[in-house]
Structure formats: C-alpha cells, structure tokens
Amino acid sequence: MNSFSPKSIVVGAQMLFVAFGALVLVPLLTGLDPSLALFAAGVGTLIFHAVTGGSVPIFLGSSFAFIAPIIESTKLYGLSATLGALAMSGVVYFIFSGCFKVWGWKFLKRFLPTVVTGPVIIVIGLKLAPVATQNSVSFVPGGPFDTIAFVIALISVGCAVFVVMWGKEFVRLIPILIGATVGYVVCLIIGKVNFAPVMDAAWFAIPWTEALKTGRFAIPTFELAAAIFIIPVAIAPAIEHVGDILAISSVSGKKFIEKPGLHRTFLGDGIASTLGVLMGGPPNTTYSEVTGAVALTKAFNPMYMRIAAVFAILFAFCGKLNALLSSIPLPVMGGIMMLLFGMITVVGINSMITGKVDLSQPRNMVITAIILVAGIGDLKLQFGAHFVLSGIGLAGILGILLNIILPEEKGQKA
C-alpha cells in the first residue's frame, strides 16, 4: 500500500498506541515534558526514515537507558547542561555508524561483545529498581509508606502482568498502557487524582511555552563534565539498536543490516536523538514493542511508522493530553516500573544466555563482576569540583577497557 487510506491511518495510529506508554513514561520519571517527548519521537522517526531511504519499518521513542543518568545529571549539572550532554550522546551513534561502515561486524565483536553489553543492560534495570519501589509506596516523592498507594501499585502492576501472561494478540503489546490506565481509573474513583489541571488546560498549547513555565525545558548548554557523565550511557541503546534492526529484518524477511545498512540506521538514529533532545525530549531509540506489533499485524509498510510519527507530533500540541499525563499518581507509575525495570534486567541476562557467555571462565567472570559492582554500586571518579564519571557510563567504559586488556582464553566465548 503506497497511498494514504482510512485503513493506513488506523494502522499508523495503532503503532503509536503500542509505543505510547513507554514513550511518555521516560519524561514523566525524569522531569522532562511528555509533549516534547512526543514531538521529539515523531520528528526523530521522520528523520530516521529520511536518512534510511524510508525502507525500514521502525519507530523511535524515548530511551529507558537514560532515565537514571538524566535524574542524576540534572541534580549535578542542571537541566540545561543535561540536555546539552544528551544531545552530544548522539556522537556515539555517529562513531558506530562510521565503524560499521569501515569494519562491519568485526567492530562489534571486538569492542562490544555480549560479556560487556549484557551486564551493562542488567545494570540499567537494577539501577532503576529503587525508583520503582520508592514510587510504589507513596503518593508524594520520598513520602512515608502509604498502604493505599501500595495497593494502587499492586493493581497497576497486576493488570500489566495479567496482560503479559494471558492477553490475546495485540493486547499483549500494550501492558504498560493498560496497567497504567486501570491504576489511573482506580485512583480517579477514590479521589487520588487532581483532575482540575486537566479541566483547566487548553486543547491546543505550544509545548515549549508550557514546558518553560513548569521548568521541564531549558535551552541546552554544553559542559564537558556533563557530557562525559552522559555520553558513555549511549553505548547500551546503541547495542539495542543492533538487536532491533536484526529483529525487524527477521520479521519482515529483509536484510536491513545490508540495505540500507547498519551505518545508515545508526546515522539516522543518532541524528534523530540529537535533534530530539535539542527540541526538549529524551534521546530516542528503536522500539521493540512496535517491532512486535509489526510482526503480529504483518504491517511491514514503513509508511505506517511515518503516520504514527505525524500523530505523535500532533498530540504534542494537545494541552489537555499533557495535563492528563502529568496527573498520573506516583504509585501507578511505580507499579508499572517494577515490572518494566525488572524486564530490562532480564533482557540483559537473556542476552548473556543466548550469547553463550561462559561465566566459569575467569575473564568473563571478572568483566561481568566489575561492570555490575561499579554500575549498581554507583562507583564515582571525581576529577575536580564538577567533573564526575560514575554509574552506568563508568561501568560501560570499564567493561570495554577490561575486554580489550584481559587476554582471551582458548575457545572462550564472549
């Protein structure tokens, strides 16, 4: 289908529906603006399709890998410097693009094998675990234990788990959205939602104007300390990008790793992330949820993703939608996060299993151990008053260095 039709519009909207829950959750957790995240995802997806010749049925959305770094960097360096650093993280994609153009798969195998990337993904999930548990027990950030809040969190995560385990076909692709909706409705019934801002909000609003008023957007500035703190984190979603391109290739029966090629898809993802952040959204990444929807519905035409992107851009200017998303109570998000962040951890574990990483080998054991302890333990290297390298980024750098330095044993798989 190469022309617009009512059916193509419905299918395109459905793709955004699949991505919506995860897409807006990232800004809600990090203090960024949901409307700007929608706008960045829409524009970023269109940029990706322009760079790759419109051939890959991929939708870009907010990356979960950056949640903890955004929260910490905002505390250390402020929102303006954090946004500048996030924009610079696109450099990682540009480097990967060049490396794949020159060396192909040899680059990935040498510098980023599963023994490095698997533990880094595990760290991302476990690093976020405290955020999930804290938000699950109170209606106010850092507040005391509230039984009602905990029950709401259980209802939200319980619905999401039910959908994952027993949902049928398309429904199984949107557990976040369903769990959050049920939790929100329960909160609305028991009077735990302040719905007044939603009623007062305008239908049409310029998202940057509203975000500046609420402190959710600032003009990006570039500080070296913030950049070095953030940039290494981009290694994790970059590896996820490779997996998603392989997945969509398998689903559609086309070799996208060859045409348009990983160098083109990485370039598109990098440009989309950088420009998306400059617009006020979080960095983008390829969305596995949408790939699953493509596999289920057989909607292989990339045009559907561009239609979804246009819908995302239009929704960004809906003031009532932004107000509605901002009114979601903490326990609802906390319950969803317990499942979601745990699933990120499991993805890392599963990648090591499928990659046949032998942890009985001393080399693999050492690399994995150092990455996990440095990342989860939040090891910090302080250089001067404002220059800090820590957390996920430092863990990733240590893993890469150890993988280069430590000699491989004969027959060892990494």
Side-chain angles (χ1 to χ4, degrees):
M1 186 189 309
N2 296 314
S3 60
F4 287 103
S5 68
K7 180 182 176 181
S8 67
I9 293 173
V10 170
V11 174
Q14 181 175 261
M15 294 302 172
L16 177 61
F17 187 67
V18 170
F20 191 85
L23 198 165
V24 300
L25 185 59
V26 175
L28 290 173
L29 295 178
T30 57
L32 299 179
D33 190 87
S35 290
L36 294 183
L38 281 165
F39 187 85
V43 172
T45 298
L46 294 178
I47 290 172
F48 176 86
H49 281 254
V51 173
T52 57
S55 61
V56 189
I58 283 287
F59 184 86
L60 301 184
S62 309
S63 172
F64 278 83
F66 289 91
I67 293 176
I70 290 174
I71 294 172
E72 187 65 22
S73 179
T74 303
K75 293 177 183 176
L76 290 171
Y77 309 109
L79 180 59
S80 178
T82 297
L83 288 174
L86 290 169
M88 292 178 68
S89 67
V91 170
V92 172
Y93 290 88
F94 304 147
I95 292 173
F96 273 38
S97 175
C99 289
F100 273 107
K101 178 68 174 177
V102 176
W103 293 299
W105 285 102
K106 292 180 181 178
F107 165 74
L108 189 69
K109 185 177 180 181
R110 179 66 184 93
F111 295 101
L112 294 166
T114 310
V115 72
V116 174
T117 58
V120 169
I121 295 171
I122 293 171
V123 166
I124 292 172
L126 294 181
K127 184 76 176 173
L128 293 167
V131 179
T133 54
Q134 290 165 13
N135 287 348
S136 298
V137 296
S138 178
F139 284 96
V140 293
F145 178 83
D146 186 320
T147 303
I148 296 177
F150 186 57
V151 170
I152 294 296
L154 290 179
I155 291 173
S156 301
V157 71
C159 288
V161 169
F162 182 86
V163 170
V164 169
M165 295 296 296
W166 296 286
K168 300 297 183 181
E169 298 182 342
F170 181 77
V171 174
R172 296 186 68 176
L173 298 171
I174 51 173
I176 298 172
L177 197 58
I178 291 178
T181 300
V182 172
Y184 187 89
V185 170
V186 172
C187 286
L188 197 61
I189 292 172
I190 64 176
K192 290 294 184 178
V193 177
N194 180 13
F195 208 70
V198 181
M199 300 299 293
D200 295 338
W203 281 104
F204 177 83
I206 304 298
W208 294 275
T209 302
E210 299 301 315
L212 284 169
K213 289 179 183 177
T214 57
R216 291 178 167 180
F217 177 64
I219 303 300
T221 56
F222 300 97
E223 295 184 17
L224 181 61
I228 294 182
F229 181 84
I230 290 287
I231 287 176
V233 180
I235 292 171
I239 296 303
E240 181 186 7
H241 175 98
V242 177
D244 285 336
I245 297 300
L246 288 172
I248 196 63
S249 296
S250 175
V251 165
S252 61
K254 297 182 179 180
K255 295 183 178 180
F256 294 124
I257 59 173
E258 296 177 4
K259 185 180 180 182
L262 280 171
H263 62 289
R264 291 277 294 275
T265 62
F266 264 116
L267 181 62
D269 204 341
I271 295 174
S273 285
T274 295
L275 293 183
V277 171
L278 293 177
M279 296 171 192
N284 289 319
T285 189
T286 49
Y287 260 26
S288 302
E289 299 95 324
V290 178
T291 299
V294 169
L296 180 65
T297 61
K298 309 300 181 185
F300 300 123
N301 194 329
M303 181 183 66
Y304 298 136
M305 302 303 165
R306 298 192 282 273
I307 292 173
V310 172
F311 271 111
I313 293 170
L314 293 176
F315 285 159
F317 292 89
C318 180
K320 284 194 180 295
L321 177 61
N322 194 19
L324 180 68
L325 294 172
S326 300
S327 70
I328 299 175
L330 276 182
V332 175
M333 293 192 292
I336 297 300
M337 285 187 286
M338 282 197 287
L339 174 64
L340 195 59
F341 297 160
M343 290 174 71
I344 293 173
T345 302
V346 172
V347 167
I349 296 172
N350 187 59
S351 71
M352 297 183 72
I353 294 173
T354 56
K356 298 180 180 179
V357 176
D358 185 0
L359 291 179
S360 68
Q361 296 283 352
R363 181 179 185 275
N364 290 343
M365 189 185 302
V366 168
I367 294 174
T368 301
I370 296 299
I371 291 174
L372 292 176
V373 172
I376 299 171
D378 199 24
L379 176 65
K380 287 185 173 68
L381 297 183
Q382 185 88 32
F383 303 92
H386 303 289
F387 187 67
V388 180
L389 189 61
S390 67
I392 300 168
L394 178 57
I397 291 173
L398 291 175
I400 292 171
L401 292 177
L402 287 172
N403 179 65
I404 294 172
I405 294 169
L406 297 180
E408 291 189 17
E409 299 180 29
K410 188 176 181 181
Q412 179 176 338
K413 281 199 173 186

